[in-house]
Amino acid sequence: MTTVARVVLDSPLPQLDRLFDYRVPSELEDDCVPGVRVKVPLRTGARMSDAYVVEVVSEGTVLVDTTYAGELSQVEEVLSPVPVLAPEIWTLARAVADRAAGVASDVLRLAVPTRQVRAEKAWLARDTSWSPPVVHPTPVTGYAEGALEALLADHGRAAVDAVPHPVDLGSVDEPVWVPGWAATLAQAASQVVAREQSAVLAVPDFRDVADLERALLAVLPPERVVRFDAKQTNGQRAKALLQARTHAVVAIGNRTAVFAPATELGLIAMWDDGDASFVEPRAPYVHSRDVALVRTAQSGAALLFLAHARSTDVQRLVELRWLQEVAPYRVPTPKVVPTAQQASAEGFAAQARIPSTAWRAAREASQHGPVLVQVANPGFGTGLVCADCGERAHCRVCGGPLGSPHRNATPQCRFCGALAVGFRCPTCGGGKLKPVGQGAQRTADELGRAFPGTRIVVADGSRPLDEVPARPAVVVATRGAEPSVPGGYACVLLLDGERLLAREGLRVQEDVLRFWTNAAAKGAPGAEVYLVGIGGRLATAMATWRLDGPAHDELADRRELHFPPAVRVATLTGTDEAVTAAVEALGDATAGPVLGPVPVEGDPVPGTVRAIVRFPYAHGAEVAATLKAEVIRRSSTRRVLPGGNRRRAAPTLRVRLDDVEPFTEV
């Protein structure tokens, strides 16, 4: 009986986003198994396409296309006998693509690296009798005894408030200091791997990956830890993928780690899910949190979202009682001092960029340990203005703002990087520029003069640091770039809060709260944290370390306005006719009025408009399917050219679901 392979093509075209049947030649039957890469013909056979085998069936089975009565084309070649696409990852990719109105092959590009022959040969030649070391579970500390262990054993789901200070996972002779959240994830993973189940742990960036790996290696053998992150080569990613399919491991990494295969998945966990780096910048633009939710529903694995200040998305799930709340038990919280509440005692001195109380605390703390100073912007100043008329200086190439990375440096565009040599003010003709505001470098220069003899360290995007030693120093860092210190900082100053909150955007408040709490949690237990210039409910939440309140209030406001995450959104971009037709096709599935269509400024295609459609979560599948059908319909049309030739028209409709970026202009 003839064997038939059902394959998914490696193609971004939405009209090809389905399974295709191909006959398997007898000479390829042994190697053509689910998960392998193959090459198959398209249409007349003149073109070839790479594909993954999803299923192998007998010819008597009902075909994918029940209307086809002809002879099936045959698989041309099995590119490798190694099954790189795990069945559960295909199921996940299909569900994620359908939820985002996207194409499954785009998701598979995130999950499966390009073919690496050397890694595949090494995997085929492995010793199949080898077994990894046995793992003994490490108790999860910082929480009520047995609380998280019981949740993991019951495959529960929880929003976990992270332990807000560094934790030592080593011994007296060999301490291993890691952030509290990393210790919790490592201990939870050990509970799962001890049962010979895999865990998938996703974190925002390379600093977090390094912290988490250090914590895991303190409680697990290295053979049980596998990295999936953007710094790896394709060969390293391919090796990690095959290793994860072999035995129970802890897969760690950034946003693509949620697609790591698992022999038996017992835990999915994310640290700081509100971080913007979890949003995939390529189609279908999915958020790792949504992938984790889909995968948990499919696998039944336990799910943990750890954060100091939870996102409104997680808060919504908590209020729906879909997630439990788990908080640390008898753990010291940061001693946060909002300086705005000291105004009556200090008068105008409290309005300084660094009030006197914070200054004195930092000076004293710097005598016996490092002090962290968090600032809003890198560089010397926040911008440059004409020294004669005060006009803001802009780039002559792209119009972006000019900045200066350090004192006496040549002005440089913050957008395109072009040097502004020989700058002349277009308003008054002046040739001198002066900085405004204070960036990380200017702050460091001023602190260097104020703290003579103290080591000054700058950490930002251009000068990344993972860790600084636990000795006297002042570390000036931009938000998110704060290096770790063994044992924690002796004091923390949080500056430029008003500037951070003045940004436009739907998630500004929750983002700023994350910046502050993540920095505050880098302090040693009992270290003072000075929140400069901020009052109101955010300052109160920081001072009391009751950080669920702002998320609850923000979510309530979003519900009233029909803004995400209270509802889901779809952004439709294209010609006015295409966008209007797509909105009409949705009918009554929307929630609240449609925003737009409005012209899109700066789009390379003239006449492009955008509309934002809001819809309830219950209508998600219907909306996604309808919009994808519209995209396919318009992608499949052809236009008649002079001479009678027909050519496929350029896409006139683009769809992106759950995109909050347009709300930055609201």
Side-chain angles (χ1 to χ4, degrees):
M1 182 175 290
T2 304
T3 302
V4 175
R6 290 176 173 168
V7 307
V8 56
L9 301 178
D10 185 8
S11 170
L13 298 178
Q15 57 268 38
L16 298 181
D17 185 30
R18 60 183 180 86
L19 296 182
F20 290 84
D21 290 323
Y22 285 89
R23 182 168 54 84
V24 181
S26 57
E27 64 271 19
L28 298 181
E29 286 185 355
D30 291 340
D31 291 336
C32 191
V33 297
V36 301
R37 291 183 172 96
V38 295
K39 193 174 287 292
V40 295
L42 291 179
R43 293 184 181 269
T44 60
R47 292 182 298 157
M48 292 290 173
S49 174
D50 290 346
Y52 295 99
V53 176
V54 173
E55 187 180 7
V56 176
V57 298
S58 62
E59 193 173 31
T61 307
V62 177
L63 300 180
V64 173
D65 187 354
T66 58
T67 63
Y68 183 72
E71 183 179 353
L72 294 178
S73 299
Q74 69 178 21
V75 174
E76 185 71 18
E77 179 185 359
V78 175
L79 297 176
S80 169
V82 177
V84 292
L85 177 59
E88 73 273 11
I89 300 303
W90 159 247
T91 305
L92 176 65
R94 180 70 276 167
V96 168
D98 290 342
R99 187 182 188 278
V103 178
S105 66
D106 286 337
V107 181
L108 292 179
R109 289 194 189 98
L110 307 176
V112 183
T114 57
R115 188 189 176 202
Q116 303 296 313
V117 177
R118 181 177 298 178
E120 292 179 353
K121 287 183 176 179
W123 186 80
L124 290 172
R126 74 190 187 283
D127 182 3
T128 55
S129 64
W130 178 83
S131 297
V134 175
V135 172
H136 300 285
T138 302
V140 183
T141 58
Y143 300 86
E145 185 177 355
L148 278 179
E149 289 89 339
L151 188 144
L152 294 170
D154 295 339
H155 305 286
R157 306 179 298 262
V160 182
D161 296 340
V163 174
H165 58 74
V167 173
D168 183 10
L169 292 181
S171 61
V172 176
D173 296 330
E174 296 185 14
V176 179
W177 287 99
V178 297
W181 63 265
T184 300
L185 287 182
Q187 292 162 347
S190 75
Q191 297 281 329
V192 172
V193 178
R195 299 194 295 266
E196 288 301 321
Q197 294 178 324
S198 292
V200 172
L201 312 180
V203 296
D205 62 26
F206 70 94
R207 298 179 187 86
D208 301 316
V209 173
D211 286 336
L212 182 56
E213 185 175 37
R214 192 165 62 252
L216 286 166
L217 294 179
V219 299
L220 292 173
E223 296 87 351
R224 294 284 193 169
V225 181
V226 178
R227 288 183 61 156
F228 291 83
D229 64 76
K231 286 193 170 185
Q232 289 179 307
T233 64
N234 282 331
Q236 291 171 327
R237 286 189 62 207
K239 180 181 178 181
L241 181 142
L242 295 172
Q243 183 179 350
R245 291 202 62 182
T246 306
H247 55 264
V249 298
V250 181
I252 67 171
N254 45 32
R255 57 179 175 265
T256 58
V258 292
F259 293 106
T263 55
E264 182 182 350
L265 189 58
L267 170 65
I268 303 173
M270 291 181 65
W271 155 246
D272 203 17
D273 69 286
D275 195 293
S277 61
F278 277 124
V279 180
E280 176 57 48
R282 298 169 291 180
Y285 311 105
V286 294
H287 194 292
S288 299
R289 177 180 52 244
D290 296 329
V291 180
L293 292 172
V294 172
R295 193 168 187 184
T296 296
Q298 291 180 343
S299 66
L303 177 66
L304 302 179
F305 290 111
L306 268 76
H308 297 299
R310 70 177 64 137
S311 66
T312 51
D313 303 82
V314 169
Q315 180 65 27
R316 170 183 165 270
L317 296 175
V318 169
E319 295 184 10
L320 289 174
R321 300 185 184 277
W322 197 83
L323 291 175
Q324 301 179 46
E325 291 184 275
V326 178
Y329 181 68
R330 293 183 177 178
V331 169
T333 58
K335 183 181 178 182
V336 180
V337 181
T339 62
Q341 299 176 1
Q342 300 175 319
S344 59
E346 292 198 359
F348 289 111
Q351 306 302 317
R353 187 167 187 247
I354 304 181
S356 58
T357 53
W359 192 276
R360 288 193 297 270
R363 179 183 292 276
E364 181 180 347
S366 67
Q367 302 301 313
H368 54 81
V371 173
L372 173 63
V373 180
Q374 184 196 69
V375 297
N377 298 98
F380 190 72
T382 59
L384 295 172
V385 298
C386 175
D388 297 327
C389 69
E391 183 73 16
R392 193 82 174 189
H394 292 279
C395 176
R396 291 173 294 189
V397 177
C398 72
L402 294 183
S404 180
H406 53 81
R407 186 187 296 273
N408 299 325
T410 302
Q412 187 175 15
C413 178
R414 292 188 182 273
F415 289 176
C416 69
L419 297 177
V421 180
F423 175 85
R424 285 290 173 183
C425 177
T427 301
C428 69
K432 292 184 178 180
L433 294 172
K434 65 178 182 180
V436 291
Q438 293 170 302
Q441 187 60 56
R442 187 173 185 179
T443 303
D445 290 351
E446 294 176 353
L447 290 174
R449 292 191 293 270
F451 291 77
T454 302
R455 180 170 175 251
I456 307 295
V457 179
V458 178
D460 54 24
S462 61
R463 288 162 291 192
L465 288 174
D466 292 341
E467 186 177 281
V468 294
R471 62 171 184 260
V474 174
V475 179
V476 181
T478 52
R479 57 192 188 277
E482 304 91 350
S484 298
V485 170
Y489 287 94
C491 182
V492 178
L493 307 185
L494 305 175
L495 309 184
D496 304 336
E498 291 182 339
R499 186 181 304 160
L500 290 173
L501 289 170
R503 297 180 301 125
E504 292 185 351
L506 186 66
R507 298 182 181 271
V508 167
Q509 178 177 291
E510 57 184 288
D511 283 345
V512 172
L513 203 57
R514 286 193 309 100
F515 299 152
W516 290 341
T517 54
N518 291 350
K522 290 182 178 292
E528 291 184 324
V529 178
Y530 285 85
L531 178 61
V532 177
I534 300 297
R537 61 180 184 177
L538 288 184
T540 301
M542 287 287 293
T544 59
W545 206 253
R546 299 193 61 175
L547 303 168
D548 55 338
H552 170 79
D553 296 341
E554 184 72 15
L555 183 60
D557 294 340
R558 307 267 185 93
R559 286 196 180 102
E560 290 186 8
L561 297 171
H562 291 287
F563 280 178
V567 295
R568 293 186 66 192
V569 296
T571 306
L572 314 180
T573 309
T575 63
D576 184 72
E577 185 271 332
V579 170
T580 301
V583 171
E584 292 175 351
L586 292 175
D588 297 331
T590 60
V594 175
L595 305 179
V598 296
V600 179
E601 298 181 2
D603 194 277
V605 180
T608 299
V609 301
R610 181 184 66 206
I612 301 174
V613 178
R614 296 170 287 184
F615 56 94
Y617 283 80
H619 292 172
E622 176 188 352
V623 170
T626 301
L627 293 178
K628 185 174 180 180
E630 281 293 303
V631 171
I632 292 175
R633 182 173 69 84
R634 296 191 173 273
S635 299
S636 303
T637 57
R638 294 178 179 271
R639 59 190 176 95
V640 180
L641 301 176
N645 295 326
R646 297 174 64 85
R647 177 177 297 175
R648 194 177 303 278
T652 57
L653 178 66
R654 301 191 300 273
V655 174
R656 180 170 178 178
L657 268 64
D658 303 309
D659 177 22
V660 299
E661 185 176 328
F663 287 88
T664 58
E665 302 171 9
V666 174

